[in-house]
Amino acid sequence: MAGNKTFLKLALITLAVFCLGRAPLVLAEQPIDQIKQTVDHVTRVLKETGSNPNASKADTVEKIRLVLLPQFDFAEMAKRSLGSYWRSLNGRENEFVGVFTAFVEKSYMETLESYRGEKVLYLRERVEQNFAQVDTQIVPARGDAIAVSYRLHLVEGQWKVYDVVVENISLVNNYRSQFSRILATASVDELLSKLRAKGSGKPV
């Protein structure tokens, strides 16, 4: 699972600007508006942290964690990442979602540290009933723009992210491929052990 770090660095830098600083919505905004309204706030938080030598990393991480992470549908992300093996959990679905969430959260928070003020362009959104996709580009100071798309669905009137696609590579599909390779020769307990180790920062 070491190969995920580069992928996540691209996928999650922009995802970090997705929902920070927003109150819960009674009616869902358009997904692209939801992103646009928050990018300035998050950019300011990250820039202030980077320019203040006395800023507490723990406080910044906790602020982001408490506000941002509830905007993800980790249960849906975990289910899609496990694919057909989801049926083999036999009552352990909540356990898997919890471990998976900690694993993704750890990778996510590490990725935020690499933010360097990249510009984000919002290209288009597509909404079909309860599903949506927002297409964006990350524009670095040097190099080519990177295509990043967010896949969302409505959960109790609020848009939540269940997948991110970077240069046509799906985060969920990437996880599913890796989990399938592990489970082809190992048990669910062994996969959970690997994810727990990654989520805690311990070497696997």
Side-chain angles (χ1 to χ4, degrees), residues 127-175:
V127 180
E128 295 184 7
Q129 297 183 339
N130 293 335
F131 291 86
Q133 179 167 312
V134 176
D135 297 329
T136 73
Q137 284 185 338
I138 297 176
V139 183
R142 297 181 179 179
D144 297 329
I146 302 163
V148 180
S149 297
Y150 303 99
R151 292 174 177 170
L152 313 92
H153 66 159
L154 276 175
V155 180
E156 298 179 351
Q158 185 173 357
W159 290 109
K160 293 203 173 188
V161 176
Y162 67 86
D163 195 9
V164 184
V165 181
V166 180
E167 295 291 338
N168 297 316
I169 300 175
S170 159
L171 180 65
V172 163
N173 289 347
N174 192 31
Y175 283 145

Side-chain angles (χ1 to χ4, degrees), residues 39-204:
V39 63
D40 289 342
H41 182 91
V42 177
T43 300
R44 184 169 64 253
V45 170
L46 295 174
K47 285 182 177 179
E48 288 174 355
T49 300
S51 62
N52 182 2
N54 297 318
S56 168
K57 177 181 175 181
D59 288 346
T60 302
V61 167
E62 187 63 13
K63 182 188 298 184
I64 293 171
R65 180 180 180 276
L66 291 176
V67 180
L68 178 63
L69 295 184
Q71 308 305 323
F72 292 81
D73 189 345
F74 284 109
E76 184 69 17
M77 188 180 292
K79 183 177 180 180
R80 289 171 179 262
S81 295
L82 205 55
S84 61
Y85 288 98
W86 181 259
R87 295 191 297 270
S88 67
L89 291 178
N90 297 322
R92 302 178 67 184
E93 291 85 357
N94 288 340
E95 178 186 3
F96 183 83
V97 171
V99 173
F100 176 84
T101 299
F103 161 66
V104 175
E105 179 182 333
K106 180 67 163 51
S107 299
Y108 181 87
M109 293 305 175
E110 289 177 349
T111 299
L112 288 182
E113 297 177 10
S114 67
Y115 178 75
R116 296 294 182 271
E118 290 86 350
K119 184 184 296 185
V120 181
L121 302 179
Y122 306 94
L123 305 180
R124 67 188 66 84
E125 71 174 7
R126 286 168 280 175
V127 180
E128 295 184 7
Q129 297 183 339
N130 293 335
F131 291 86
Q133 179 167 312
V134 176
D135 297 329
T136 73
Q137 284 185 338
I138 297 176
V139 183
R142 297 181 179 179
D144 297 329
I146 302 163
V148 180
S149 297
Y150 303 99
R151 292 174 177 170
L152 313 92
H153 66 159
L154 276 175
V155 180
E156 298 179 351
Q158 185 173 357
W159 290 109
K160 293 203 173 188
V161 176
Y162 67 86
D163 195 9
V164 184
V165 181
V166 180
E167 295 291 338
N168 297 316
I169 300 175
S170 159
L171 180 65
V172 163
N173 289 347
N174 192 31
Y175 283 145
R176 185 186 302 130
S177 176
Q178 294 182 61
F179 294 171
S180 294
R181 286 197 297 270
I182 292 171
L183 291 171
T185 58
S187 67
V188 169
D189 282 326
E190 290 174 285
L191 174 59
L192 285 169
S193 179
K194 289 178 180 291
L195 293 179
R196 284 193 180 96
K198 287 285 187 179
S200 66
K202 297 177 182 177
V204 178

